[in-house]
């Protein structure tokens, strides 16, 4: 993957091209430097998939940072993640290391040049008393060229003039504090400037050809909007986490799996407001994706748990054969991560993302349930899920210890996740009471999760014991670890009645 940096920047329009910023607190020197001529070609799909998701990919020459630049949205205000790659040897094909960052957005669609921007940039540096850059103010005169055939994703050397404009960018330097942006903004606004309407030069150049995706309200007014707002969050999370999963970043697979489960749970919890004929197939595909992500995540969890059991053993029981069996990777096929990437590059995953985006763009509402007031509908969904969990817990506790109870507790764990997620979805309209309910359900889920992890580890140890015994190895350490897992599971079962009594409170 390319070099990644956080870019903190604000864009302005209007006003005078030169604004005095001398005397801004903390700025020791204002230095104007020689102008740069920049030539940038932006790449996108024919339908502007990248720009629609507030992503830009360009190849730029001239200036201080010539190269390929991929800019991705970030959650922090005024911030984007910028990924750099070198220009290469004159090749105008976007590098694979950058394309892989946006695989989930491209979904196999080809990239091509969509806009060319020629910019005359006049820069002003704001320095501290050690000569370090606190911020850079760039006044840009932008000239646009568009493909002559007006078709993206097709190689072209023919361009036709497009709109021209001027804008000012203020970018925070490595030594700058975000408060400096506010201080500079005061000067710019006083000089007649205002925040730019377009989030990027590409969006400005495309104008009304770029249709932004729908944004759900922060405070949904109806049950249907409550459900779709939560679904929208999960779709956004899936797209944002995809590149981190591909880079094998720590916890990325787990977080992506959670977003997948949240989306599937919402389709069930709000099934009375959404057409199940439309959403059930999507739910099945989300179940598939969660399973694909689980192949790697479950292996990680099991390995960590077995390592803890190994550390607890009497050292006299720990020998090389035991360590080898507990740590030996599965070499019978591709690594879990390789297998995961194969699925994430496949048509089935891309089709699921298409379906999810179509769902939040045009939800299959069932009226009048979807039009019910948000507070009433969200509370009803949470209460239904809570009742389902109550029945599952009571059923599990009524069973004697053993395999049947283990299965029932696993089912209760899944129900606990469902009610936790419906509480999360209800939080924007129910406020603190939904937050408190979510916290209670999370505790129950974690307790049941400990039980399930113990059962899985116990089964794995029993299988390892059989293999060790067949090889003539000592089964004693496996017996000790199995007993430990049984004790841990029994402790959960003992603690569960009181934990559930505390959690079983009305919304």
């Amino acid at each position: 993957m390319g070099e990644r940096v956080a870019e903190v920047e604000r864009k302005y329009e209007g006003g005078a091209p030169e604004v005095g910023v001398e005397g801004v607190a903390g700025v020791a020197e204002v230095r104007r430097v020689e102008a740069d001529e920049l030539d940038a070609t932006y790449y996108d799909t024919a339908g502007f998939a990248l720009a629609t998701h507030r992503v830009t990919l360009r190849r730029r020459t001239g200036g201080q940072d010539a190269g390929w630049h991929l800019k991705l949205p970030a959650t922090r205000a005024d911030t984007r993640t910028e990924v750099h790659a070198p220009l290469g040897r004159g090749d105008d094909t976007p590098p694979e290391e950058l394309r892989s960052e946006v695989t989930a957005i491209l979904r196999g669609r080809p990239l091509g040049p969509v806009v060319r921007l020629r910019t005359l940039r006049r820069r002003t540096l704001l320095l501290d008393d050690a000569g370090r850059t606190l911020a850079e103010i760039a006044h840009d005169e932008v000239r646009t060229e568009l493909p002559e055939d007006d078709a993206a994703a097709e190689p072209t050397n023919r361009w036709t003039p497009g709109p021209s404009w001027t804008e000012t960018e203020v970018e925070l330097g490595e030594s700058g504090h975000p408060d400096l942006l506010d201080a500079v903004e005061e000067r710019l606004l006083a000089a007649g400037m205002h925040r730019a309407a377009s989030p990027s030069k590409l969006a400005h150049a495309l104008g009304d050809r770029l249709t932004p995706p729908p944004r759900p309200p922060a405070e949904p007014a109806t049950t249907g909007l409550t459900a779709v707002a939560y679904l929208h969050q999960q779709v956004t999370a899936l797209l944002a986490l995809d590149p981190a999963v591909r880079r094998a970043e720590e916890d990325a697979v787990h977080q992506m799996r959670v977003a997948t489960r949240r989306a599937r749970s919402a389709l069930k919890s709000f099934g009375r407001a959404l057409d199940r004929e439309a959403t059930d197939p999507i739910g099945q595909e989300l179940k598939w994706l969660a399973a694909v992500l689980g192949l790697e995540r479950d292996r990680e969890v099991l390995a960590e748990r077995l390592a803890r059991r190994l550390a607890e053993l009497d050292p006299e029981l720990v020998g090389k054969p035991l360590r080898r069996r507990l740590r030996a990777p599965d070499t019978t096929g591709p690594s879990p991560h390789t297998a995961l990437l194969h699925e994430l590059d496949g048509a089935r995953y891309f089709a699921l993302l298409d379906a999810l985006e179509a769902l939040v763009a045009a939800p299959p509402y069932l009226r009048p349930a979807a039009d019910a007031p948000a507070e009433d509908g969200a509370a009803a969904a949470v209460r239904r899920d809570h009742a389902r969990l109550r029945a599952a817990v009571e059923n599990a506790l009524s069973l004697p210890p053993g395999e049947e109870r283990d299965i029932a507790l696993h089912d209760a764990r899944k129900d606990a996740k469902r009610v936790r997620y419906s509480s999360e979805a209800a939080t924007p309209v129910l406020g603190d009471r939904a937050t408190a309910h979510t916290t209670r359900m999370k505790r129950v889920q974690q307790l049941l999760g400990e039980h399930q992890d113990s059962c899985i580890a116990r089964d794995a140890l029993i299988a390892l014991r059989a293999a060790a015994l067949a090889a003539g190895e000592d089964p004693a350490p496996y017996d000790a670890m199995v007993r430990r897992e049984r004790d841990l599971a029994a402790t959960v079962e003992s603690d569960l009645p009181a934990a559930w009594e505390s959690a079983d409170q009305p919304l």
Side-chain angles (χ1 to χ4, degrees), residues 36-42 58-63 66-67 87 115-120 143 145 159:
D36 294 320
E37 293 187 3
L38 313 177
D39 188 347
T41 301
Y42 287 75
R58 73 186 179 204
R59 182 183 189 275
R60 190 167 77 181
T61 58
L87 285 174
V115 168
R116 185 177 185 181
L117 299 182
R118 298 178 186 269
T119 302
L120 178 63
R143 293 181 293 115
E145 296 179 6
W159 300 87

Side-chain angles (χ1 to χ4, degrees), residues 24-31 125-135 173-177 180:
V24 171
V27 177
E29 179 185 355
V30 176
R31 181 184 301 170
L125 304 182
L126 307 186
L127 310 176
D128 64 11
D129 52 10
R132 296 172 300 191
T133 300
L134 300 172
E174 290 185 4
S175 301
H177 188 277
L180 180 59

Side-chain angles (χ1 to χ4, degrees), residues 212-216 228 231-232 235 353-365:
R215 300 288 179 190
V228 172
L231 283 167
H232 188 279
V235 176
L353 295 178
D354 287 342
L356 287 169
E357 289 193 331
L359 175 66
V360 297
Y365 289 136

Side-chain angles (χ1 to χ4, degrees), residues 119-122 138-142 165-167 169 201:
T119 302
L120 178 63
R121 167 164 290 181
R122 296 182 174 88
H139 178 72
D140 292 340
E141 297 177 11
V142 185
W165 70 90
T166 61
E167 66 178 42
E169 297 179 355
K201 287 182 171 67

Side-chain angles (χ1 to χ4, degrees), residues 222-228 230-231 264-276 279 366 369 374 377-382 384-385 418 421-426:
T222 67
T223 302
L225 287 175
T226 301
V228 172
Y230 189 68
L231 283 167
R264 182 169 178 247
S265 180
L267 295 179
K268 292 181 177 180
S269 296
F270 291 90
R272 298 189 181 187
L274 300 171
D275 183 357
R276 294 291 294 268
T279 60
L366 285 179
V382 175
R384 286 193 299 270
D385 288 343
R418 176 166 165 176
Y421 297 152
S422 62
S423 293
E424 287 180 350

Side-chain angles (χ1 to χ4, degrees), residues 128-275:
D128 64 11
D129 52 10
R132 296 172 300 191
T133 300
L134 300 172
E136 176 182 298
I137 303 174
H139 178 72
D140 292 340
E141 297 177 11
V142 185
R143 293 181 293 115
T144 307
E145 296 179 6
L146 303 174
E148 193 172 83
D149 53 8
D150 197 33
E154 294 292 337
T156 181
N157 292 314
R158 303 186 302 275
W159 300 87
T160 185
S164 298
W165 70 90
T166 61
E167 66 178 42
T168 297
E169 297 179 355
V170 183
E171 182 175 349
L172 202 63
E174 290 185 4
S175 301
H177 188 277
D179 289 347
L180 180 59
L181 294 179
D182 295 331
V184 173
E185 181 168 87
E186 287 185 16
R187 298 289 184 95
L188 300 184
L189 296 181
M193 291 190 185
H194 56 84
R195 288 283 191 105
S198 297
S200 66
K201 287 182 171 67
L202 175 61
H204 191 145
L206 293 176
D208 57 11
R209 294 197 299 162
L210 179 61
T211 304
R215 300 288 179 190
E219 298 181 0
T222 67
T223 302
L225 287 175
T226 301
V228 172
Y230 189 68
L231 283 167
H232 188 279
Q233 291 175 15
Q234 309 321 315
V235 176
T236 301
L238 285 174
L239 295 176
L241 287 164
D242 180 279
V245 169
R246 294 175 187 276
R247 291 192 300 270
E249 288 189 6
E250 184 177 359
D251 204 39
V253 170
H254 172 60
Q255 293 300 326
M256 189 173 182
R257 191 184 189 189
V258 169
T260 303
R261 286 174 165 170
R262 281 175 167 144
R264 182 169 178 247
S265 180
L267 295 179
K268 292 181 177 180
S269 296
F270 291 90
R272 298 189 181 187
L274 300 171
D275 183 357

Side-chain angles (χ1 to χ4, degrees), residues 313-330:
L313 280 179
D314 184 335
E316 293 185 359
L317 293 176
V318 179
K320 290 183 179 180
L322 175 64
R323 292 185 181 277
R324 184 173 62 250
R325 288 197 184 276
L326 262 60
R327 295 178 178 176
D330 181 4

